[in-house]
Amino acid sequence: MDLFEAIQKRRSIRRYKETPVPETVIERALEMAVLAPNSSNTQTWDFYWVRTPEKKAALVKACFSQSAARTAAELVVVVASPTQWRRSQPYLIDWVRSVRAPKSVILYYEKLIPAMYRWGFLNCIGYTKWIGLTVAGLFRPVPRGPNTRRDIQEVSIKSAALAAENFVLAITAQGYATCMMEGFDEWRVKRILGLSRTDRVVMVIAVGEEAERGTWGPQYRIPIEKVVHRV
Ligand SMILES: Cc1cc2nc3c(=O)[nH]c(=O)nc-3n(C[C@H](O)[C@H](O)[C@H](O)COP(=O)(O)O)c2cc1C
């Protein structure tokens, strides 16, 4: 299946057969997920493949027992982890040094990333950056952020959402179905997975083999000219 076919074939499937999904299908899709483009290659994401029956039952409940979650063979939670640039930083520094990247790139990972991704207690660093950049921005184009905790969470969420899309397309290409879900109680999902206060649950993804009446009907989009603007 080529990429165009996978994109066209992917649908949000809300009912699955009881047949299991081979582990390798999920593993391959996770390998594709982490190849998604992401902000500064900081890879501030985590993927929780929920396998234990107790955790899975709790997760289904936290997803309001919606049918996609209830009938899924597998559930994978995509998490944006805004503080995990710290986990990536030593790897990235080793990597840019090993490929003999320009000094500016090495400095970027050593100095600029920590400056960009810190928000400080009660956002004090974030608001200081915001004031400085807003003043500088009166005179020239400047990067307006990320500054505060919310901005940095947003950056991580964008990257994690791209990884989620890679994941579902890779599942589709292997002949299985998915449903991305944001219909969940985030506080409860975070408790089930033992996540930190600053983490954000981006998507719970159901995976399985499509059952009869897995969708509400054919795929529908509003006319493309309503959303594409040639400017
Ligand atoms: C961010 C996001 C959250 C979603 N949340 C849910 C959800 O909680 N439950 C559900 O059944 N579908 C959910 N969906 C699926 C959408 O309803 C679906 O993508 C949309 O109706 C278009 O249908 P299609 O995916 O079959 O093209 C979600 C999709 C996205 C991207």
Side-chain angles (χ1 to χ4, degrees):
M1 191 183 301
D2 74 14
L3 180 63
F4 285 81
E5 283 175 298
I7 290 172
Q8 285 173 318
K9 189 160 188 292
R10 184 215 59 78
R11 293 295 316 280
S12 294
I13 301 302
R14 275 114 186 170
R15 279 157 54 91
Y16 300 94
K17 293 182 184 164
E18 279 180 13
T19 45
V21 175
E23 282 191 12
T24 51
V25 168
I26 307 286
E27 283 162 1
R28 286 187 74 197
L30 288 168
E31 284 164 13
M32 297 302 106
V34 300
L35 296 183
N38 66 93
S39 181
S40 296
N41 209 10
T42 48
Q43 300 163 61
T44 51
W45 49 36
D46 284 284
F47 305 87
Y48 292 83
W49 181 4
V50 178
R51 313 221 66 199
T52 56
E54 313 79 58
K55 276 201 175 4
K56 211 167 156 196
L59 183 59
V60 169
K61 218 169 146 191
C63 294
F64 316 124
S65 299
Q66 54 175 298
S67 63
R70 215 178 50 240
T71 61
E74 301 292 341
L75 290 171
V76 173
V77 186
V78 180
V79 174
S81 318
T83 58
Q84 290 292 27
W85 61 270
R86 291 193 172 90
R87 170 180 65 193
S88 303
Q89 194 194 24
Y91 291 100
L92 291 166
I93 291 171
D94 280 354
W95 169 67
V96 289
R97 285 202 177 125
S98 74
V99 298
R100 297 177 189 284
K103 186 112 187 67
S104 58
V105 177
I106 299 171
L107 278 176
Y108 181 80
Y109 282 112
E110 284 179 344
K111 303 271 189 270
L112 201 62
I113 287 286
M116 239 161 63
Y117 279 76
R118 280 205 183 102
W119 57 78
F121 181 63
L122 293 177
N123 274 315
C124 58
I125 298 177
Y127 285 123
T128 309
K129 281 191 288 182
W130 178 78
I131 292 166
L133 290 171
T134 305
V135 172
L138 295 173
F139 308 101
R140 60 186 164 87
V142 292
R144 302 277 164 172
N147 299 314
T148 62
R149 181 173 96 170
R150 215 190 174 88
D151 297 341
I152 294 155
Q153 285 175 325
E154 194 177 279
V155 168
S156 304
I157 290 168
K158 287 183 201 172
S159 298
L162 295 174
E165 179 66 1
N166 267 20
F167 178 82
V168 300
L169 289 177
I171 295 283
T172 310
Q174 296 177 88
Y176 290 87
T178 58
C179 185
M180 289 199 195
M181 291 173 282
E182 65 179 349
F184 50 75
D185 176 333
E186 187 175 13
W187 183 81
R188 285 192 162 74
V189 176
K190 283 169 81 164
R191 251 183 34 157
I192 294 162
L193 301 178
L195 302 181
S196 85
R197 215 164 38 85
T198 56
D199 288 341
R200 296 301 309 272
V201 181
V202 175
M203 221 82 79
V204 177
I205 305 179
V207 184
E209 200 176 324
E210 180 175 357
E212 253 182 70
R213 299 197 312 280
T215 63
W216 299 328
Q219 194 169 40
Y220 177 74
R221 294 294 186 265
I222 64 171
I224 195 161
E225 55 281 6
K226 299 281 179 203
V227 296
V228 175
H229 311 281
R230 290 167 202 259
V231 293

